[in-house]
Amino acid sequence: MNLSPPQNLSIYQLAMKVQLPPKPLNLSCATLLSMVKSQIDLLIEQKISATVVAKFPPLNIFNSQLKRYRQHFDNALIHNCQLAEVGEINTELDSEILSSANNDSASESKTKHNVIQLITDNRQIAREYFLIVLSEQFCSLLLVHRPLKKVKQQVLERKSNNQNPSLLTIQTFDGEVIQQVLNAIKNISSSEEAFVTPEFIYPQEPKPALTSQLFLAQIKRQEEINSRKYKSRFSSFKEQNRTLRTKLQAKDEYLRNVCQELLSPLTHIKTALSLLNSPSIKNTQRQRYLDMIKRECDRQNYLMTGVMDLVELERNLESTSLEPVCLSEVVPGVVSTYQPLAQERGIMLAYTVPNDLPYIWCVSGGLRQIVINLLSNCIKFTPNGGQVWVRTRIISNYVQLEFRDTGIGIPDNEIPKIFNRFYKVRPIVNEETGSAGLGLTIVEKLLQRCGGSISVSSIPGEGSSFKVLLPSVSQ
């Protein structure tokens, strides 16, 4: 009787058609590898020389198990079955097993065994793997079927916590099932060599000691897999907790700084208001206190606007896409906006931005924010009569945008701190100009998002230079 599987039937389905079919299990790739190792270990420990028929993914980690067994038994016969159509190799499963077996040592990919081609157009068989052990003492079948996407998706939905693909697996010692599978393999094999001799008789039932040893070994290996998995998850959770704790601490520090910055102008405003109630206050003093109130209100307004801008930026920056931006369309407009302020203070403000510069990558509106923050800083810390330049040039695959001033400069030990939130150690030359201490923080975050960078050089009393590198679209 021809027991080869029909065109739409798999070896797995054929094995399940016996009178008392074995119960299938949903296993991961790592567990499959563990079961194969356990069977090979049992054969070696019990010194069982058997005929082995196997079809595995073409991976060293599986072939090494067959080679390990062959090294212990020169007279053992190993049939390595492969599909004639190479295109049916399952790369999805291969990558998962490689990931689960990263602690196993590499071995040679070629082993000394017979290679048998399976000639079939049945795509079901291409998705199946098996390990058949035949000996007078011990016979077993390990048969694996990788479900199609729709079926596999249902399995994954039932086991949503397991990210590895589930494999329908049966393990049986029933000679009837094993013989059915062997007959099916013979009928699609290109080799006429029999897998077993005609007089081979399957044991009526496996020896309890052997099956107990096999199951204990599988349990032990599964515990090791689970232990590694739990340790990995514990380490991952520990790292996540550490990251969350760091973020919470940074958030607490951020809120503390915001409160301190808000309290300072409120204190000054409250003091000025109390002095304004004095009956003996002179008009000049009254005007000075009113100017103080206005300045502190502006300062508080700058602070609240800066905080809201930074919060909005941090919330949406990662999801914001980059777009090509032309520097000659942004920089001149911002510079012209600051020209009246520079002229009022006698500061020479000039820029050099050629029209033929390549486009650069930046988030929408990000380049304008960068230019505004850096240019306003240069003017803010430059005394009356000073100079401020904005220049551009091409450096490899980047466009450099430089802001240089003849201001008060920055000490070397303070340069690493100027990008911190609310950092305002340097005295502001023009006190009427408010500052939240958040401008450079915003600049740095925008540059990080678009793949750019910023460097600072300064000489106290002579001036500072901020050089921004922006990736060009052509790179």
mmCIF file of all heavy atoms in Angstrom, residues 159-179:
data_model
loop_
_atom_site.group_PDB
_atom_site.id
_atom_site.type_symbol
_atom_site.label_atom_id
_atom_site.label_comp_id
_atom_site.label_asym_id
_atom_site.label_seq_id
_atom_site.Cartn_x
_atom_site.Cartn_y
_atom_site.Cartn_z
ATOM 1 N N LYS A 159 -0.960 32.448 23.083
ATOM 2 C CA LYS A 159 0.232 32.512 23.932
ATOM 3 C C LYS A 159 0.927 33.843 23.670
ATOM 4 O O LYS A 159 2.026 33.908 23.161
ATOM 5 C CB LYS A 159 1.171 31.352 23.618
ATOM 6 C CG LYS A 159 0.556 29.981 23.852
ATOM 7 C CD LYS A 159 1.509 28.881 23.454
ATOM 8 C CE LYS A 159 2.703 28.833 24.341
ATOM 9 N NZ LYS A 159 3.643 27.736 24.031
ATOM 10 N N SER A 160 0.222 34.913 23.985
ATOM 11 C CA SER A 160 0.702 36.246 23.638
ATOM 12 C C SER A 160 1.980 36.623 24.352
ATOM 13 O O SER A 160 2.712 37.496 23.917
ATOM 14 C CB SER A 160 -0.379 37.286 23.956
ATOM 15 O OG SER A 160 -0.730 37.209 25.333
ATOM 16 N N ASN A 161 2.279 35.969 25.460
ATOM 17 C CA ASN A 161 3.489 36.301 26.199
ATOM 18 C C ASN A 161 4.726 35.689 25.582
ATOM 19 O O ASN A 161 5.849 36.060 25.924
ATOM 20 C CB ASN A 161 3.374 35.837 27.655
ATOM 21 C CG ASN A 161 2.323 36.604 28.410
ATOM 22 O OD1 ASN A 161 2.075 37.769 28.116
ATOM 23 N ND2 ASN A 161 1.682 35.960 29.371
ATOM 24 N N ASN A 162 4.564 34.718 24.682
ATOM 25 C CA ASN A 162 5.709 34.048 24.068
ATOM 26 C C ASN A 162 5.933 34.642 22.689
ATOM 27 O O ASN A 162 5.115 34.506 21.796
ATOM 28 C CB ASN A 162 5.437 32.544 23.962
ATOM 29 C CG ASN A 162 6.636 31.790 23.436
ATOM 30 O OD1 ASN A 162 7.712 32.355 23.307
ATOM 31 N ND2 ASN A 162 6.434 30.527 23.139
ATOM 32 N N GLN A 163 7.095 35.285 22.498
ATOM 33 C CA GLN A 163 7.385 35.937 21.243
ATOM 34 C C GLN A 163 7.983 34.975 20.214
ATOM 35 O O GLN A 163 8.066 35.302 19.046
ATOM 36 C CB GLN A 163 8.361 37.111 21.484
ATOM 37 C CG GLN A 163 7.797 38.195 22.386
ATOM 38 C CD GLN A 163 6.527 38.802 21.841
ATOM 39 O OE1 GLN A 163 6.424 39.035 20.648
ATOM 40 N NE2 GLN A 163 5.556 39.054 22.698
ATOM 41 N N ASN A 164 8.456 33.796 20.632
ATOM 42 C CA ASN A 164 9.020 32.843 19.702
ATOM 43 C C ASN A 164 7.904 32.139 18.942
ATOM 44 O O ASN A 164 6.832 31.878 19.483
ATOM 45 C CB ASN A 164 9.871 31.801 20.432
ATOM 46 C CG ASN A 164 11.112 32.425 21.022
ATOM 47 O OD1 ASN A 164 11.651 33.363 20.453
ATOM 48 N ND2 ASN A 164 11.562 31.914 22.143
ATOM 49 N N PRO A 165 8.150 31.781 17.648
ATOM 50 C CA PRO A 165 7.104 31.089 16.897
ATOM 51 C C PRO A 165 6.841 29.715 17.483
ATOM 52 O O PRO A 165 7.767 28.969 17.795
ATOM 53 C CB PRO A 165 7.701 30.993 15.488
ATOM 54 C CG PRO A 165 9.169 31.103 15.685
ATOM 55 C CD PRO A 165 9.356 32.001 16.866
ATOM 56 N N SER A 166 5.555 29.325 17.637
ATOM 57 C CA SER A 166 5.198 28.024 18.173
ATOM 58 C C SER A 166 5.297 26.980 17.081
ATOM 59 O O SER A 166 4.919 27.216 15.932
ATOM 60 C CB SER A 166 3.788 28.056 18.743
ATOM 61 O OG SER A 166 3.741 28.905 19.861
ATOM 62 N N LEU A 167 5.784 25.780 17.425
ATOM 63 C CA LEU A 167 5.933 24.671 16.508
ATOM 64 C C LEU A 167 5.067 23.521 17.010
ATOM 65 O O LEU A 167 5.160 23.144 18.183
ATOM 66 C CB LEU A 167 7.390 24.238 16.419
ATOM 67 C CG LEU A 167 8.398 25.335 16.064
ATOM 68 C CD1 LEU A 167 9.813 24.824 16.233
ATOM 69 C CD2 LEU A 167 8.179 25.833 14.652
ATOM 70 N N LEU A 168 4.237 22.978 16.141
ATOM 71 C CA LEU A 168 3.425 21.817 16.512
ATOM 72 C C LEU A 168 4.336 20.598 16.512
ATOM 73 O O LEU A 168 4.904 20.230 15.476
ATOM 74 C CB LEU A 168 2.276 21.637 15.528
ATOM 75 C CG LEU A 168 1.219 22.745 15.541
ATOM 76 C CD1 LEU A 168 0.178 22.499 14.460
ATOM 77 C CD2 LEU A 168 0.551 22.836 16.907
ATOM 78 N N THR A 169 4.491 19.967 17.669
ATOM 79 C CA THR A 169 5.481 18.912 17.843
ATOM 80 C C THR A 169 4.831 17.686 18.479
ATOM 81 O O THR A 169 4.033 17.811 19.414
ATOM 82 C CB THR A 169 6.632 19.394 18.736
ATOM 83 O OG1 THR A 169 7.144 20.611 18.200
ATOM 84 C CG2 THR A 169 7.749 18.362 18.804
ATOM 85 N N ILE A 170 5.188 16.500 17.962
ATOM 86 C CA ILE A 170 4.775 15.254 18.601
ATOM 87 C C ILE A 170 6.018 14.416 18.873
ATOM 88 O O ILE A 170 6.966 14.420 18.084
ATOM 89 C CB ILE A 170 3.775 14.453 17.741
ATOM 90 C CG1 ILE A 170 4.374 14.095 16.379
ATOM 91 C CG2 ILE A 170 2.475 15.192 17.581
ATOM 92 C CD1 ILE A 170 3.485 13.198 15.539
ATOM 93 N N GLN A 171 6.013 13.746 20.001
ATOM 94 C CA GLN A 171 7.064 12.790 20.337
ATOM 95 C C GLN A 171 6.380 11.474 20.690
ATOM 96 O O GLN A 171 5.514 11.431 21.565
ATOM 97 C CB GLN A 171 7.922 13.280 21.503
ATOM 98 C CG GLN A 171 9.042 12.325 21.858
ATOM 99 C CD GLN A 171 9.962 12.883 22.930
ATOM 100 O OE1 GLN A 171 9.605 13.832 23.626
ATOM 101 N NE2 GLN A 171 11.135 12.308 23.066
ATOM 102 N N THR A 172 6.765 10.413 19.994
ATOM 103 C CA THR A 172 6.098 9.134 20.212
ATOM 104 C C THR A 172 7.095 7.988 20.108
ATOM 105 O O THR A 172 8.139 8.116 19.452
ATOM 106 C CB THR A 172 4.962 8.930 19.185
ATOM 107 O OG1 THR A 172 4.320 7.688 19.448
ATOM 108 C CG2 THR A 172 5.493 8.924 17.763
ATOM 109 N N PHE A 173 6.755 6.857 20.763
ATOM 110 C CA PHE A 173 7.557 5.635 20.701
ATOM 111 C C PHE A 173 6.733 4.511 20.047
ATOM 112 O O PHE A 173 7.119 3.353 20.085
ATOM 113 C CB PHE A 173 7.975 5.216 22.112
ATOM 114 C CG PHE A 173 8.613 6.342 22.885
ATOM 115 C CD1 PHE A 173 7.875 7.080 23.810
ATOM 116 C CD2 PHE A 173 9.932 6.687 22.689
ATOM 117 C CE1 PHE A 173 8.444 8.112 24.525
ATOM 118 C CE2 PHE A 173 10.502 7.715 23.396
ATOM 119 C CZ PHE A 173 9.770 8.432 24.311
ATOM 120 N N ASP A 174 5.604 4.879 19.438
ATOM 121 C CA ASP A 174 4.683 3.919 18.839
ATOM 122 C C ASP A 174 5.231 3.470 17.481
ATOM 123 O O ASP A 174 5.406 4.272 16.558
ATOM 124 C CB ASP A 174 3.311 4.584 18.668
ATOM 125 C CG ASP A 174 2.236 3.581 18.242
ATOM 126 O OD1 ASP A 174 2.588 2.535 17.671
ATOM 127 O OD2 ASP A 174 1.056 3.871 18.498
ATOM 128 N N GLY A 175 5.463 2.151 17.354
ATOM 129 C CA GLY A 175 6.022 1.630 16.114
ATOM 130 C C GLY A 175 5.122 1.846 14.921
ATOM 131 O O GLY A 175 5.602 2.062 13.801
ATOM 132 N N GLU A 176 3.805 1.822 15.106
ATOM 133 C CA GLU A 176 2.879 2.030 13.989
ATOM 134 C C GLU A 176 3.038 3.431 13.405
ATOM 135 O O GLU A 176 3.082 3.613 12.174
ATOM 136 C CB GLU A 176 1.440 1.816 14.458
ATOM 137 C CG GLU A 176 0.408 2.028 13.356
ATOM 138 C CD GLU A 176 -1.014 1.930 13.878
ATOM 139 O OE1 GLU A 176 -1.198 1.667 15.087
ATOM 140 O OE2 GLU A 176 -1.945 2.135 13.065
ATOM 141 N N VAL A 177 3.124 4.425 14.281
ATOM 142 C CA VAL A 177 3.287 5.803 13.814
ATOM 143 C C VAL A 177 4.636 5.969 13.123
ATOM 144 O O VAL A 177 4.735 6.589 12.047
ATOM 145 C CB VAL A 177 3.153 6.790 14.996
ATOM 146 C CG1 VAL A 177 3.339 8.226 14.498
ATOM 147 C CG2 VAL A 177 1.817 6.637 15.678
ATOM 148 N N ILE A 178 5.676 5.431 13.735
ATOM 149 C CA ILE A 178 7.018 5.558 13.162
ATOM 150 C C ILE A 178 7.070 4.913 11.783
ATOM 151 O O ILE A 178 7.643 5.471 10.839
ATOM 152 C CB ILE A 178 8.062 4.929 14.101
ATOM 153 C CG1 ILE A 178 8.082 5.660 15.456
ATOM 154 C CG2 ILE A 178 9.441 4.965 13.466
ATOM 155 C CD1 ILE A 178 8.986 5.020 16.490
ATOM 156 N N GLN A 179 6.452 3.735 11.627
ATOM 157 C CA GLN A 179 6.473 3.043 10.338
ATOM 158 C C GLN A 179 5.721 3.826 9.272
ATOM 159 O O GLN A 179 6.152 3.905 8.113
ATOM 160 C CB GLN A 179 5.865 1.642 10.487
ATOM 161 C CG GLN A 179 6.058 0.768 9.253
ATOM 162 C CD GLN A 179 7.531 0.529 8.950
ATOM 163 O OE1 GLN A 179 8.282 0.069 9.812
ATOM 164 N NE2 GLN A 179 7.952 0.864 7.738
#
